[in-house]
Amino acid sequence: MSKQYQIEKSFISRGKLLIWLALASIVLSNSIAPLHAQTLYGSIVGSVADSTGAVVPDATITVVQTETNDTRVATTNSSGGFTLSTVPTGTYKVTIFKSGFSLFEASDVSVRLNTTVRIDAALKPGLQTQTITVSSESAELQTDRADVSHDVTNQSLEELPQPTRTYEGLIGLLPGISPPAASTGGTNNPMRSMVIQANGTSASGTNVRVDGVSATNPWVQFYSTAVPSTDAIQTVSVVTGSADADQGMVNGAAINVQIKTGSNALHGSIYLYHIDNLLKARPYFLPSTNTLPKLIDNDAGGTISGPIFKNKLFFFGSYEGDFLHQGNTNIATVPTDAIRNGDLSGSSSAIYDPSTGNLDGTGRTAFTNNQLPANRISPIAQKIVALIPQPNLPGIANNYYVNTPSYYKAQKVDTKVQWNATKKLNMFVRFSDYPYNVTQGTVFGPILSGGNNAFQKGNIYAVSASATYVSTPHLVFDALFGLTHSSQNLSPPNTNQRYGSDVLGIPGVNLGALPEAGGLPQFNVSGYSGYGYGYPALVYNDPVFQYTGNGNWTRGRHNLRFGIDISQQHMNHIEVTPTGFSFTGGVTSVNGGASANQYNSFADFLLGLPQNDTNSEQSVPNVTLRTWQFSPYVDDQWQITPKLTASFGTRWDYYPVPTRQGRGIEYFDIPTKQYRLCGEGGNSTDCGISVQKTLFSPRVGIAYRPTETTVARAGFSLIPEQINMFRDGLYNYPNTLTGSYSGVNSYQPATTLAQGIPTIQPVSTDTAVLVLPAGVTFSTTPKNFIRGYVESFNGTVQQDFGKGWLGQVGFVGSHTVHQHTRYDANYGQVGGGAASQPFNNGTLGNSITGGVVFIEPFESMHYNSLQATLEHRFAAGYQLAVAYTWSKWIGTCCDESGDGQPAIPIPAYFSLNRALEPSDRPQNVQISGLLTLPLGLANQC
C-alpha cells in the first residue's frame, strides 16, 4: 500500500504543477496567436513588409483553393502579420493587396494536413503585379512549429513501391519509428494493419484518425480497424513527439489520414496488381519432391472524382479488392506408429508409472521396457489418436508435411462528398465500407483441425461528418461527428457439434450454446503439434463514437485554439477462453530424474492425465463494456516576432470508470477480500474506485528562425496514457465462467480425461458480493487508479540547402512513467509452487491457481535518440529521402505496449525486469527515392 501511496502523492504534486501551467497558458492566450496546425486542416501564416522592411498593416490577404475556388480573406495586424487557420488541404493562390503597393501573388501554395505554410511578402511601391510560384511538392521549412512531425505525400503513396500496399508501410521510412512488421491478419486485425511505435512510446498509445475519426481498435489498441485504400488517401500526417494540444487522446504517434476529395476537374484511375508463385522463393522446409505452393494475389481497383455542381459540390469514390489464393506450407510433428500405440522404447530416459511412488513424484517405478500397458491407455485418447495422420517425413519431429489452402478476400470502398455551402460554411461527409472473409484449410482435417480457424468474416464501416464555419476572418469554428464500427466473426471447424462432450465423452467441455460451444477442445502435447480448434467461435461488435468541436480565434499576434474531444467506446463480445488440456510430460517423470521429453508428454496424453486444464462458458448473451473519454483543451501560439514563435497549451483528460451495459464493472477489494459487483446490491456504480481529475497535459514549444533558411525548434509535452483501464477485465467472472486448474505439483495431473473439468456454476448477478469459486480467473483495478503518462521532448535544427534540399538533425526523447501493466497478483514464490500463491493459500483467496490480474502502474521506459533526415521532395524528375535514427530504449521487460506483464512479478526481484525493450533498434537507416524515366522527360512530368 505504501508503494501505491507514493505513486499517488507524486502524481498529485505533479498535477498541481500542471494546473499552474494550464492557468498560465490561459492567461497568455489573451495576447496570443498564429500557426496552429489542426488534425483535419492546415494553416497559412506570414508577414507583410514594404521594400524598406517596415511592416504593412491592414493589407488584404486572399487565398483561393485552385481545385474548388473556395476563398478565404484576412487582413494583416498592426505588426504586419496574418494567420488563416482551419484551412482545408489543397493547392492555393495567395494574393496580398495594399493600396499604393504592387499586387503580390504566390501560386501553387500547397497546404497539407496538420502543417503550417509561411508566405512572407515584401511589397513594392507602384501598380505592378509581383508573382512568385511555390512548388506544391517542394520541401518547406516548418518555421512555426515545435513538434516532431513528418508527412507522407500523395506522390509517395502513389509511386513508392511497397509489398503491403498500405500507407503504414511508408510510415516505417520515418525517423524514430520502429520498423513496422507486415501482418497476416486474424480476427483481431482483419484489415492487416501494422503495429506502429514511435520514439520509445507504447504501440497502444498510437492513435490513427481517418478524416478526423479514430480508427483505433478498442479491443486491441495497437491495431487499426480501418485501413483505407492507398489510392484513396491524399496525405498522411505523423506527429511522433511534443504534439500540440489539439492532438488529443494519443500518447504515442498521432497519425492523421486524409481521404481524397473531388475538385472542379473530373479525374479517374484504374489499376491491377498481380502476384503469383513464379517469382516466389522456394520455402526452406518444403520437401524436395513438392512443387511451389499456390500463390495468386490480384489487387484491383480504381478511383473517380469530380464536380457535382461546379465550385459548390464535389465527390470522390474509390474501390479496392484484394483477392488472395494461396497454399501454406505446414511442417508439423505427429507421433510415429510405435509411439501412438504406447511403445515408447525409443526414449533415452525411463517412462514412469504415475500410480506408483509418492505425491511429490519421488519413488516411482518405470514402465517395463517403456511400454504402456494397453489397458492403461485412455479410450478417449485412443479416439483422438485415430484422427492423427501418419508421418510422411522421417524422424520423430517435424515429420509431417501438408499444404493447406487459404482464401483471403478484402474489399475497400471509400467515398467522400464536399459541399461549399456558402462563403462561410464548408461541409464534408465520408463513408467507408470494408467487408472481408477468410477461408483456411486445417492441418489435421475438419475435426482434429490443428490450429487454423476455418472461417472468418466481418465488416468495418466508418462515417464522418464535418463542418467549418468562418464567423469572421479572425474566428473560425469546426465540428466533427464520427463512427467507426467493427464487426468480426470467427468459426473453427465443426462448430455445429459438441465433439468433446458428445463424441469423446469428456465431462465439463463444450459448455454453452452452439456455435460458440462447438468443435474439438484443444489438446496440447509438449513436443507435438496441437490438436483441436485454434480458437472457439466468437463474435465482436465494437462501435466507437467520436464528437469533436473546435474554435480558432486570431487576435493580434496570437492564435487561440480551443475545443473538446469526446470518445465513446462500446465492446459487445461473444467469446470464451479455449477449453483445453496440456500434457507436459511431468506426470510420467520422476522427481530428481531426467527432464521430461516428448515421449513423456505423449505418455501423459495416452494415459489421459493432463497437468493443466481450462474450460470456459459465457453466462450472458454479450459481454459488454462502455467507456467514455473527455478531453477539452486550449492551445495558444504567439508570433512574438516574424522570426520567433512560442506555443503554450494544455488538455484536461478525464476517464470515468467504465461500466457494463446495465451495471458497473467488477472489483476485488483487498482489505475485505471481497469480490464486488459495482452497481448491484447497494454498491455504487463505480464501487468507489477513484480516477484522477487533475490530468492536465501541458505542451510548450518554441521555433526560431535565425536566418531565412534555418529553423531551430524545441518542444515538451506531457500526455496521459490512453489505454482502457478495464479492457483486461472484459471477460471477468461472472460474465464469463472460466476455470483453470493445475496439478498440486509438476508431477501430478490436474484431472483425468474421463473425469473431465469441473463446471463453474452460474450465479446470480443481482448481489453486492460474490464468493469466488475454485479455479476462477479475473482481473481488477486498484481502489485508486493511477493513469500513466509520457513526457516527450525534442530539440532540432532544420536547414534549407536550396534547390529543393532540406535537412534536419536533433535530439528526440521520451520518458514513460507509471505505464499500466497486467500484474499477476497470484504469483508464487521461487520454489514455493501453488502452495505459495496468495489466492490459493488463504492469504487473499482459496483454491485459485490461475492468473489474477491487477491493472497496476508499475512500468516505466526511457528513450533517447539522435534523429537526422535529408530530403528532396519530388521536383526536377526525382525524389530522395534519407532518415537515420541512433537510439536506446530501455524499460520494464518486456511489456513495451502495456499489453503483457512484467517477466518477473515477485516484488523482491522486480528490479531485475529492467532491460532493453524488444523493439529497441540502436541503428536505423531508411532510404527511399523516385526517379522519372527517361531522364530527358523529367521536367515534363
Side-chain angles (χ1 to χ4, degrees):
M1 299 302 291
S2 61
K3 183 175 182 180
Q4 179 80 7
Y5 171 75
Q6 290 170 3
I7 292 174
E8 291 178 29
K9 184 176 180 181
S10 66
F11 203 99
I12 291 171
S13 298
R14 186 179 298 272
K16 293 178 180 177
L17 172 62
L18 302 188
I19 293 172
W20 283 110
L21 286 172
L23 292 175
S25 69
I26 294 172
V27 171
L28 284 169
S29 69
N30 290 329
S31 58
I32 284 193
L35 337 155
H36 195 79
Q38 303 90 36
T39 57
L40 277 175
Y41 308 96
S43 298
I44 301 175
V45 304
S47 60
V48 181
D50 62 19
S51 56
T52 68
V55 299
V56 178
D58 299 320
T60 301
I61 316 297
T62 304
V63 299
V64 179
Q65 189 178 36
T66 304
E67 296 88 351
T68 65
N69 282 332
D70 188 31
T71 303
R72 289 276 297 275
V73 178
T75 57
T76 56
N77 57 32
S78 59
S79 301
F82 68 90
T83 297
L84 287 116
S85 62
T86 320
V87 176
T89 60
T91 304
Y92 287 82
K93 183 174 77 171
V94 179
T95 61
I96 302 175
F97 173 76
K98 174 72 173 180
S99 179
F101 293 90
S102 60
L103 182 69
F104 175 93
E105 290 184 354
S107 60
D108 291 335
V109 176
S110 178
V111 177
R112 294 188 294 273
L113 193 70
N114 201 33
T115 62
T116 299
V117 179
R118 173 170 283 277
I119 302 294
D120 291 334
L123 302 185
K124 298 178 180 179
L127 301 177
Q128 183 180 356
T129 299
Q130 175 189 0
T131 303
I132 68 169
T133 300
V134 181
S135 171
S136 62
E137 287 293 342
S138 64
E140 298 172 348
L141 283 173
Q142 283 300 314
T143 58
D144 304 284
R145 303 179 48 138
D147 60 6
V148 182
S149 62
H150 312 272
D151 61 354
V152 180
T153 65
N154 178 254
Q155 185 86 33
S156 297
L157 289 165
E158 292 184 351
E159 303 294 344
L160 280 177
Q162 52 160 325
T164 60
R165 289 266 308 142
T166 70
Y167 73 90
E168 294 169 313
L170 297 182
I171 290 178
L173 299 176
L174 304 178
I177 301 292
S178 298
S183 172
T184 57
T187 302
N188 291 328
N189 188 23
M191 290 295 103
R192 301 187 171 186
S193 70
M194 299 182 181
V195 177
I196 297 175
Q197 294 174 286
N199 295 336
T201 56
S202 166
S204 298
T206 296
N207 189 11
V208 176
R209 297 190 186 216
V210 181
D211 273 347
V213 178
S214 178
T216 299
N217 187 328
W219 172 233
V220 185
Q221 283 194 216
F222 45 74
Y223 289 140
S224 296
T225 53
V227 182
S229 170
T230 299
D231 291 79
I233 298 173
Q234 180 62 37
T235 189
V236 181
S237 169
V238 184
V239 178
T240 60
S242 304
D244 288 335
D246 68 339
Q247 298 277 0
M249 299 183 178
V250 55
N251 64 282
I255 301 173
N256 291 283
V257 179
Q258 184 182 37
I259 301 298
K260 292 177 180 177
T261 189
S263 66
N264 279 321
L266 185 64
H267 296 279
S269 67
I270 189 169
Y271 59 87
L272 169 65
Y273 294 90
H274 173 79
I275 301 174
D276 59 39
N277 62 4
L278 291 179
L279 298 178
K280 184 180 180 182
R282 185 177 182 85
Y284 181 81
F285 293 104
L286 183 68
S288 58
T289 56
N290 291 77
T291 59
L292 284 173
K294 180 178 181 179
L295 172 63
I296 301 176
D297 188 2
N298 291 312
D299 190 321
T303 67
I304 186 170
S305 65
I308 300 174
F309 298 107
K310 188 175 181 179
N311 296 337
K312 280 291 187 182
L313 194 61
F314 312 92
F315 76 94
F316 170 82
S318 76
Y319 169 82
E320 178 181 5
D322 187 8
F323 308 94
L324 172 62
H325 300 253
Q326 69 178 18
N328 302 286
T329 298
N330 296 272
I331 302 294
T333 297
V334 297
T336 63
D337 190 62
I339 293 174
R340 68 179 62 210
N341 286 296
D343 181 359
L344 309 173
S345 58
S347 176
S348 59
S349 57
I351 307 299
Y352 289 90
D353 186 345
S355 66
T356 64
N358 304 311
L359 183 64
D360 64 356
T362 60
R364 286 179 171 175
T365 302
F367 285 108
T368 303
N369 298 323
N370 283 352
Q371 300 271 352
L372 300 184
N375 63 355
R376 295 283 298 277
I377 295 177
S378 164
I380 295 173
Q382 287 179 321
K383 292 180 181 179
I384 298 172
V385 166
L387 300 172
I388 303 174
Q390 292 284 346
N392 54 20
L393 296 174
I396 63 170
N398 299 322
N399 56 2
Y400 179 72
Y401 166 80
V402 63
N403 186 301
T404 55
S406 67
Y407 174 53
Y408 172 80
K409 176 182 177 182
Q411 301 179 85
K412 298 180 180 181
V413 177
D414 292 288
T415 63
K416 192 173 184 178
V417 175
Q418 180 179 330
W419 181 29
N420 296 339
T422 69
K423 292 183 178 180
K424 291 178 174 288
L425 179 62
N426 292 324
M427 305 175 67
F428 79 77
V429 176
R430 172 184 70 97
F431 176 74
S432 298
D433 191 39
Y434 307 141
Y436 73 93
N437 63 69
V438 181
T439 303
Q440 295 177 304
T442 57
V443 175
F444 295 135
I447 297 176
L448 202 59
S449 185
N452 293 341
N453 289 297
F455 308 104
Q456 300 177 48
K457 65 178 182 178
N459 185 52
I460 295 95
Y461 67 85
V463 178
S464 58
S466 178
T468 303
Y469 182 72
V470 182
S471 178
T472 72
H474 304 289
L475 184 61
V476 182
F477 297 97
D478 64 271
L480 171 77
F481 166 77
L483 165 65
T484 302
H485 186 282
S486 175
S487 175
Q488 296 148 249
N489 299 264
L490 179 146
S491 296
N494 205 31
T495 55
N496 62 340
Q497 184 180 34
R498 294 181 174 85
Y499 200 91
S501 60
D502 294 353
V503 178
L504 298 180
I506 304 175
V509 300
N510 296 109
L511 305 176
L514 296 175
E516 290 77 27
L520 178 69
Q522 294 179 350
F523 294 84
N524 300 306
V525 184
S526 296
Y528 294 87
S529 302
Y531 317 124
Y533 51 47
Y535 207 81
L538 61 80
V539 178
Y540 294 167
N541 278 295
D542 297 344
V544 177
F545 302 88
Q546 187 167 330
Y547 316 89
T548 301
N550 305 290
N552 214 106
W553 180 37
T554 303
R555 181 178 180 182
R557 296 183 179 184
H558 299 274
N559 186 46
L560 179 68
R561 186 159 174 87
F562 51 90
I564 187 170
D565 277 330
I566 301 174
S567 176
Q568 180 185 9
Q569 302 176 4
H570 289 197
M571 283 189 263
N572 307 282
H573 290 193
I574 301 174
E575 180 180 13
V576 294
T577 301
T579 295
F581 302 88
S582 296
F583 303 86
T584 63
V587 176
T588 54
S589 300
V590 67
N591 191 343
S595 299
N597 58 30
Q598 69 179 103
Y599 289 93
N600 291 107
S601 57
F602 208 83
D604 290 1
F605 171 67
L606 289 175
L607 294 173
L609 300 176
Q611 191 184 24
N612 304 287
D613 59 59
T614 300
N615 64 354
S616 185
E617 179 182 4
Q618 191 163 301
S619 64
V620 292
N622 283 277
V623 176
T624 63
L625 194 66
R626 304 289 184 259
T627 306
W628 287 85
Q629 301 177 17
F630 301 90
S631 186
Y633 74 93
V634 59
D635 191 74
D636 190 6
Q637 297 204 10
W638 178 17
Q639 189 174 338
I640 302 172
T641 73
K643 293 181 178 292
L644 180 62
T645 302
S647 62
F648 307 84
T650 188
R651 297 187 81 94
W652 176 69
D653 294 283
Y654 177 58
Y655 303 84
V657 177
T659 63
R660 305 282 187 185
Q661 183 178 20
R663 66 169 177 85
I665 59 175
E666 301 78 39
Y667 168 67
F668 183 81
D669 187 29
I670 292 179
T672 63
K673 302 179 186 179
Q674 291 182 332
Y675 189 75
R676 297 183 175 275
L677 298 185
C678 305
E680 297 289 348
N683 290 330
S684 62
T685 304
D686 60 9
C687 281
I689 301 169
S690 66
V691 295
Q692 294 143 290
K693 296 185 173 122
T694 57
L695 285 176
F696 289 94
S697 52
R699 330 289 172 95
V700 181
I702 189 167
Y704 175 64
R705 287 187 297 152
T707 70
E708 292 302 312
T709 59
T710 305
V711 180
R713 297 188 293 265
F716 171 83
S717 66
L718 187 153
I719 307 176
E721 188 182 21
Q722 304 303 308
I723 199 78
N724 187 321
M725 66 178 284
F726 205 68
R727 180 264 186 203
D728 296 312
L730 179 64
Y731 297 110
N732 258 0
Y733 177 80
N735 305 282
T736 301
L737 308 174
T738 298
S740 181
Y741 309 90
S742 301
V744 294
N745 56 49
S746 60
Y747 301 97
Q748 295 296 329
T751 185
T752 68
L753 292 182
Q755 293 173 342
I757 309 175
T759 301
I760 299 178
Q761 298 300 317
V763 297
S764 172
T765 58
D766 59 359
T767 183
V769 177
L770 293 180
V771 176
L772 293 172
V776 74
T777 61
F778 65 92
S779 296
T780 189
T781 72
K783 186 73 169 181
N784 299 304
F785 185 83
I786 302 298
R787 185 169 290 273
Y789 58 92
V790 175
E791 297 172 333
S792 176
F793 32 86
N794 74 89
T796 60
V797 176
Q798 190 177 34
Q799 178 69 42
D800 186 346
F801 296 107
K803 296 185 178 181
W805 287 96
L806 206 64
Q808 179 172 289
V809 64
F811 167 78
V812 180
S814 68
H815 179 205
T816 301
V817 183
H818 301 326
Q819 176 171 283
H820 104 287
T821 184
R822 299 168 175 171
Y823 184 74
D824 186 0
N826 200 25
Y827 58 83
Q829 296 295 331
V830 176
S836 65
Q837 293 181 265
F839 281 87
N840 182 46
N841 62 18
T843 304
L844 292 174
N846 292 287
S847 302
I848 298 175
T849 58
V852 175
V853 175
F854 279 50
I855 310 304
E856 296 282 7
F858 286 170
E859 297 189 339
S860 64
M861 297 187 294
H862 290 83
Y863 174 88
N864 296 285
S865 71
L866 171 69
Q867 297 181 12
T869 58
L870 179 66
E871 65 174 322
H872 183 283
R873 287 232 173 129
F874 191 84
Y878 74 98
Q879 171 180 308
L880 181 66
V882 181
Y884 171 69
T885 305
W886 178 33
S887 65
K888 186 174 184 179
W889 185 3
I890 194 168
T892 305
C893 180
C894 294
D895 183 27
E896 59 195 16
S897 292
D899 195 56
Q901 56 185 319
I904 304 172
I906 303 174
Y909 307 104
F910 197 85
S911 61
L912 299 177
N913 285 300
R914 188 167 178 80
L916 288 173
E917 294 293 355
S919 296
D920 176 62
R921 299 293 184 273
Q923 307 280 347
N924 187 354
V925 179
Q926 301 288 338
I927 303 174
S928 63
L930 295 172
L931 181 65
T932 302
L933 296 175
L935 296 176
L937 299 178
N939 293 328
Q940 301 177 25
C941 298

